[in-house]
Amino acid sequence: CLEQSLSQPCMALFVLFLALVVMFVGTMVTSVFLRRQKPKAPEEPPAPMSRQAPGMDARRAAAHMTNGLLEVWMHRHCLRALPDAVPLARSTASLFGALHAVFDFQAGNVHNQHEHLLSLWRSHCASVADRFIERGEEVTESGLLVEALGDLHAELMEGFSNWRERFCEEEATGFE
């Protein structure tokens, strides 16, 4: 990089460094000129989590969340075309809606986690179908969602099971 003529990798590094410097200077300038002080509102203490049955507002929120998640699955997701999609869609949507209501999870986070589950589930459906093809069997859609869900559950629980086994082994040996 110290030669008179710059090589392509050195030039690329120089351009990246220059871009970072420009972005840093730009953020400094905008923070100085566009800084507006907003009066801080007093923060309210978080509401304590109640173990009682959720009130009507929580039930309405859960129903609203469940309907929204069901809408995503049944109208916008490719898994809707598979057999048994409707009961599984209702089940997962109601589960996520209940988690939203009981634990007061943020709605956006619930939607993101639901989308993540659907993405993992879709991926496992493809893996199950590939396994059928590798064995020379015909891919039937009738049990695809359920088998993929079983595979997904096994994969997610594998790490926990391994940890639990190691923990029990070390506990039996009396580690400290």
Side-chain angles (χ1 to χ4, degrees):
C1 278
L2 297 177
E3 300 173 8
Q4 291 290 338
S5 63
L6 294 175
S7 65
Q8 288 180 347
C10 287
M11 184 58 108
L13 285 174
F14 178 73
V15 168
L16 287 174
F17 178 73
L18 185 62
L20 286 173
V21 168
V22 168
M23 289 185 339
F24 176 74
V25 169
T27 57
M28 294 300 292
V29 168
T30 56
S31 68
V32 168
F33 289 112
L34 297 179
R35 181 172 34 176
R36 295 180 186 161
Q37 293 184 355
K38 296 179 182 177
K40 290 185 179 181
E43 293 184 24
E44 296 180 19
M49 283 188 57
S50 170
R51 296 202 180 265
Q52 300 172 358
M56 285 304 288
D57 290 335
R59 288 188 184 138
R60 279 192 212 123
H64 182 69
M65 176 64 67
T66 299
N67 291 337
L69 296 175
L70 193 57
E71 169 79 17
V72 167
W73 182 317
M74 296 312 298
H75 296 286
R76 292 186 237 155
H77 204 274
C78 63
L79 293 178
R80 72 182 181 274
L82 294 173
D84 299 327
V86 173
L88 291 170
R90 286 187 181 130
S91 178
T92 57
S94 67
L95 172 68
F96 277 80
L99 290 173
H100 170 63
V102 171
F103 295 106
D104 197 28
F105 292 140
Q106 294 176 351
N109 291 343
V110 174
H111 280 282
N112 289 341
Q113 291 301 320
H114 186 257
E115 281 291 326
H116 183 77
L117 173 69
L118 293 181
S119 175
L120 290 172
W121 206 340
R122 182 182 59 227
S123 175
H124 278 76
C125 284
S127 296
V128 168
D130 287 345
R131 192 169 51 232
F132 281 132
I133 292 170
E134 287 173 359
R135 292 188 297 214
E137 299 174 8
E138 182 180 343
V139 178
T140 57
E141 294 179 345
S142 61
L144 196 59
L145 278 173
V146 174
E147 189 167 342
L149 182 61
D151 287 359
L152 176 59
H153 177 264
E155 182 180 317
L156 292 175
M157 294 306 293
E158 182 180 10
F160 171 73
S161 297
N162 290 339
W163 171 83
R164 186 179 59 192
E165 287 174 17
R166 280 182 289 163
F167 181 77
C168 290
E169 288 171 3
E170 290 184 17
E171 189 176 62
T173 61
F175 73 94
E176 285 193 38

